[in-house]
Amino acid sequence: MTDRPDTQNAKRRLPQINPVWILLAALIVAIIFMNPGFVEPTGYMNFLKRAAPLAILAAGQVYVITSGGFDLSVGSLITLVVVGSSMLTNNDPTATYWVIPVMLGIGLGVGALNGLIVCFLRVPSLIATLGMMITLNGVAFLWSGGAPRGYLPDTFRFFGRELIRDVPLVRFIPISVIVLVVVVGLFAWLMHRTNLGRHVHAIGDNPVAARLAGVAVNRVRVTAFMLSGLSGAIAGILLGGFAGVSTDVGTGYELQAITAAVLGGAQLLGGRGSVPAAVGGALALTAIFTLLNFLGLPQPVRQVVQGLILIAAVALAMHRRKQTGT
Amino acid sequence: MSIAEDAPPRKTGFRFERWAPLILLVGAFVIYVGIALATDQAQYLTFDNLIAILGRSIALGITAIGQTFVILVASIDLSVASLISATAVLASVVMDGSPAMIVPAVLAAVALGGVVGVTNGLVVSGLKVNPLIATLGMSLIIQGCLSAFVSNFAGEVPEAFQVFAYGEVGPFPLALLFLAAMAVIAWAVLKFTKFGSDMYAVGGNEEAARFAGIKTGRIVVLSHVICSVCAAIAGLYLASRLRSGAPWIGSDGVYDLESIAVVVIGGTVLAGGRGGIWGTMAGMLIFSLIDSVFNIAGVDSFAKQVLRGIIIVAAVAFYAIRSKRIVA
């Protein structure tokens, strides 16, 4: 209040840029500094390709977080999708055309089940999706008999692995980057341009007020979980393309997705969240991992850094919110 | 995690929520006895066998007692699993086979727990970081530091300390009596001390508790310290049981998520302010009974995992379904 007017203006304008973009820009500058090859299309396209599954997952997770819940089941959903696809395609390249819709259906179904458990059995989403995580991991093991065998046919791996060559300007575009742009565009449009998005924000902010205002709270919540499940299935299809079949492909992705959404300023327990910013958070997280890789730091250090960043991001967000009084 | 609705308080003689954990426990026990009789394996119904079932979940029980305290103040602790690994390794490295180092090792482990608890508590109450994120971050930090130094069994636990896990007093294992003593102390703290009632107040409504003159920050920090020290004790127990410290012991046992599940099955509400130790103990018994049922019924280990996930959700739904509040 006692500040000079110009500093007050600056203060008021600053929070309008989401800090995740500043963080991302700083990280990218650091990566370019470490490895000048990053400005070449091979550099940044491969980066985007690697970041695509996490970014898609974060775009779905942000719906659930904004609606006030958590979705811990996406990591094991990814595992289930990868293992299940390898069992269903059974090395038959033509099977891809029906396996992919089936997998997307499984994603939507798991999401719907999560949502229904939360809404009608009144189990807090933390426990409901935790139970789902344990269950899906078990199902993936049961389905594959413990050791997944076979490999995914090339038609299935198309989405995760193939490139479109001879594109002007960037030379090539990985299919996964196109999937990323389409999915994120769709999720961002649903969240920020439609009534569904407004309802998701409303039930996260104050579910009682939202219900009194005529929002179909349960339907919106189930939809949010379904979108998260769908994003998990898509991420699983992409990861199956890069990484191949194993029973731990999805391990840890649920926490990374939550971290990404939180880095993007999504408010845990609901009411605030942005799809583009969550994707920015996912890119920033991947950039941090890339940077640590360049620095030659071992896996344990990556964990410590991820932990510190997570705490710092939320502490900073809380500090900003206290200052801006929102 | 949920917003209370202004529902008028119902006055009934029988409070379902209060008895739900006991009903579940009796149900689990009846199923256990039923399966044992149906499969003609009456040898599983002996007293010794029941004690053995309990003995398998002592580490989970100790961790869950601590977890009850943080969940009561509407916080949560996801760092217990990696803290268990860290303290098990620390204690066994400090002891390194020499009985003279037992006391320093125990002190070091408890001190590590205290430091982690204070840090968790300060980050949650001072920096206002969501407890889920704060303790998750802490868990990553501990696990990262630990695996930077140790990748296999480290140190050795002397015979004298293995008494903690293997000693027996009459028909009861020493560790089981220790768990029971901890539960009684925790119950007494919650029931009879000012700190206990302050905890319920802070968990029920932090703002109101502050206006009532309770130093809410201090309560949150203290409950996190209790939780982390309990995890440290669980780490000591596991080190004594395995005779050495392993850096994967906590994450292998999924003690973070399982202890939360045990607490919630025991009727303590994730939103804080309601619940208690006996519910948690019932939750622990339910968990170990379920495991034993699977064992004697010969369920395939993957199917076991599927059923376990379903049971956790179903058990919570069992009493949550009656609540009129909107949960998320």
Side-chain angles (χ1 to χ4, degrees):
Chain A
M1 298 294 151
T2 54
D3 286 342
R4 282 170 296 142
D6 53 339
T7 55
Q8 205 177 8
N9 260 347
K11 245 187 194 169
R12 203 175 293 156
R13 204 173 308 125
L14 252 178
Q16 286 175 359
I17 303 178
N18 194 317
V20 73
W21 302 116
I22 300 170
L23 176 70
L24 182 59
L27 285 167
I28 286 174
V29 169
I31 291 178
I32 293 172
F33 183 72
M34 298 285 301
N35 173 17
F38 191 78
V39 290
E40 299 285 314
T42 4
Y44 60 80
M45 277 304 174
N46 275 332
F47 171 76
L48 283 178
K49 183 179 150 186
R50 228 181 14 259
L54 182 59
I56 290 172
L57 219 50
Q61 184 73 243
V62 87
Y63 275 85
V64 176
I65 291 186
T66 308
S67 78
F70 297 92
D71 191 348
L72 297 177
S73 66
V74 283
S76 53
L77 177 61
I78 288 176
T79 308
L80 179 68
V81 164
V82 172
V83 169
S85 316
S86 85
M87 297 308 287
L88 283 182
T89 52
N90 203 9
N91 301 342
D92 172 14
T94 54
T96 303
Y97 308 106
W98 60 270
V99 168
I100 286 187
V102 166
M103 288 303 142
L104 296 180
I106 289 181
L108 285 172
V110 166
L113 204 56
N114 278 334
L116 292 173
I117 290 172
V118 172
C119 288
F120 295 105
L121 300 185
R122 305 202 179 270
V123 177
S125 61
L126 195 69
I127 298 289
T129 57
L130 166 69
M132 186 58 88
M133 168 173 117
I134 298 174
T135 309
L136 291 183
N137 256 330
V139 170
F141 273 112
L142 266 184
W143 197 348
S144 64
R149 52 183 185 281
Y151 60 97
L152 291 162
D154 283 342
T155 46
F156 189 89
R157 303 186 69 174
F158 172 79
F159 294 98
R161 213 163 54 160
E162 280 308 309
L163 315 169
I164 297 180
R165 288 169 209 286
D166 300 325
V167 182
L169 247 64
V170 292
R171 279 197 299 214
F172 70 92
I173 301 179
I175 303 288
S176 56
V177 174
I178 297 174
V179 175
L180 168 69
V181 170
V182 170
V183 171
V184 167
L186 192 70
F187 275 50
W189 174 74
L190 267 178
M191 184 67 131
H192 300 293
R193 291 284 179 275
T194 65
N195 269 340
L196 174 69
R198 284 172 210 120
H199 287 170
V200 169
H201 276 80
I203 67 169
D205 198 32
N206 187 339
V208 178
R211 191 177 62 190
L212 295 177
V215 177
V217 175
N218 288 346
R219 208 171 61 209
V220 174
R221 201 183 297 288
V222 173
T223 313
F225 274 103
M226 285 172 74
L227 286 170
S228 176
L230 182 65
S231 76
I234 296 172
I237 291 169
L238 294 185
L239 274 172
F242 312 150
V245 186
S246 77
T247 45
D248 59 356
V249 270
T251 314
Y253 264 100
E254 63 280 345
L255 297 180
Q256 287 186 19
I258 293 175
T259 310
V262 167
L263 275 179
Q267 188 178 322
L268 289 173
L269 307 187
R272 183 179 302 202
S274 143
V275 171
V279 172
L283 294 180
L285 202 59
T286 315
I288 292 166
F289 290 154
T290 312
L291 201 59
L292 293 177
N293 241 351
F294 281 147
L295 292 171
L297 294 176
Q299 174 73 18
V301 181
R302 267 175 62 155
Q303 266 183 331
V304 175
V305 170
Q306 194 191 345
L308 288 174
I309 287 170
L310 193 56
I311 295 178
V314 180
L316 212 67
M318 294 311 292
H319 183 68
R320 263 161 43 97
R321 252 170 63 201
K322 214 190 291 173
Q323 279 204 327
T324 52
T326 46
Chain B
M1 313 243 153
S2 58
I3 307 291
E5 251 202 299
D6 295 339
R10 281 171 302 159
K11 290 268 181 189
T12 51
F14 179 73
R15 280 167 61 206
F16 177 79
E17 274 127 57
R18 192 182 172 130
W19 296 101
L22 195 63
I23 297 171
L24 282 173
L25 178 58
V26 170
F29 189 73
V30 167
I31 293 172
Y32 175 75
V33 173
I35 297 266
L37 290 179
T39 55
D40 258 345
Q41 300 184 82
Q43 73 268 29
Y44 285 108
L45 295 176
T46 60
F47 178 73
D48 284 349
N49 200 270
L50 292 178
I51 293 290
I53 291 173
L54 290 178
R56 252 174 278 150
S57 43
I58 283 172
L60 182 60
I62 296 174
T63 319
I65 288 178
Q67 193 74 258
T68 311
F69 278 80
V70 279
I71 292 184
L72 273 179
V73 296
S75 187
I76 205 161
D77 193 342
L78 288 176
S79 65
V80 285
S82 30
L83 183 58
I84 286 174
S85 309
T87 48
V89 168
L90 177 70
S92 110
V93 167
V94 171
M95 285 180 205
D96 207 18
S98 116
M101 293 302 283
I102 289 180
V103 174
V106 170
L107 289 181
V110 170
L112 177 65
V115 169
V116 169
V118 167
T119 317
N120 278 339
L122 287 178
V123 171
V124 169
S125 71
L127 299 179
K128 299 279 173 224
V129 175
N130 182 296
L132 205 71
I133 294 293
T135 55
L136 178 63
M138 178 55 88
S139 164
L140 290 169
I141 293 170
I142 298 174
Q143 195 69 49
C145 291
L146 184 63
S147 41
F149 295 115
V150 198
S151 58
N152 206 333
F153 280 104
E156 196 193 334
V157 175
E159 287 280 332
F161 191 66
Q162 289 172 21
V163 171
F164 186 23
Y166 292 99
E168 287 189 345
V169 179
F172 300 104
L174 181 64
L176 193 60
L177 295 177
F178 182 79
L179 174 66
M182 272 185 76
V184 170
I185 293 171
W187 168 76
V189 165
L190 286 176
K191 180 97 180 168
F192 299 117
T193 65
K194 177 167 177 302
F195 170 63
S197 54
D198 284 357
M199 277 183 54
Y200 282 98
V202 171
N205 187 338
E206 188 171 355
E207 202 80 335
R210 198 193 339 271
F211 287 140
I214 295 171
K215 294 199 168 57
T216 54
R218 201 177 288 176
I219 302 290
V220 171
V221 173
L222 208 53
S223 56
H224 269 283
V225 170
I226 292 177
C227 178
S228 298
V229 168
C230 283
I233 295 172
L236 287 170
Y237 168 76
L238 286 171
S240 152
R241 189 171 163 133
L242 290 184
R243 302 187 170 95
S244 179
W248 56 79
I249 183 106
S251 44
D252 254 20
V254 210
Y255 286 109
D256 40 5
L257 298 177
E258 296 226 324
S259 64
I260 293 170
V262 162
V263 171
V264 173
I265 287 176
T268 300
V269 183
L270 272 180
R274 273 177 299 154
I277 290 296
W278 298 121
T280 301
M281 289 295 102
M284 182 202 82
L285 293 178
I286 293 168
F287 251 57
S288 40
L289 278 172
I290 290 171
D291 261 357
S292 316
V293 166
F294 289 153
N295 281 345
I296 53 179
V299 179
D300 168 84
S301 71
F302 304 137
K304 193 151 83 178
Q305 210 182 355
V306 173
L307 287 172
R308 205 158 187 204
I310 294 171
I311 287 171
I312 291 177
V313 173
V316 175
F318 177 64
Y319 45 88
I321 199 168
R322 294 166 50 102
S323 87
K324 289 276 194 294
R325 30 181 84 209
I326 300 177
V327 301

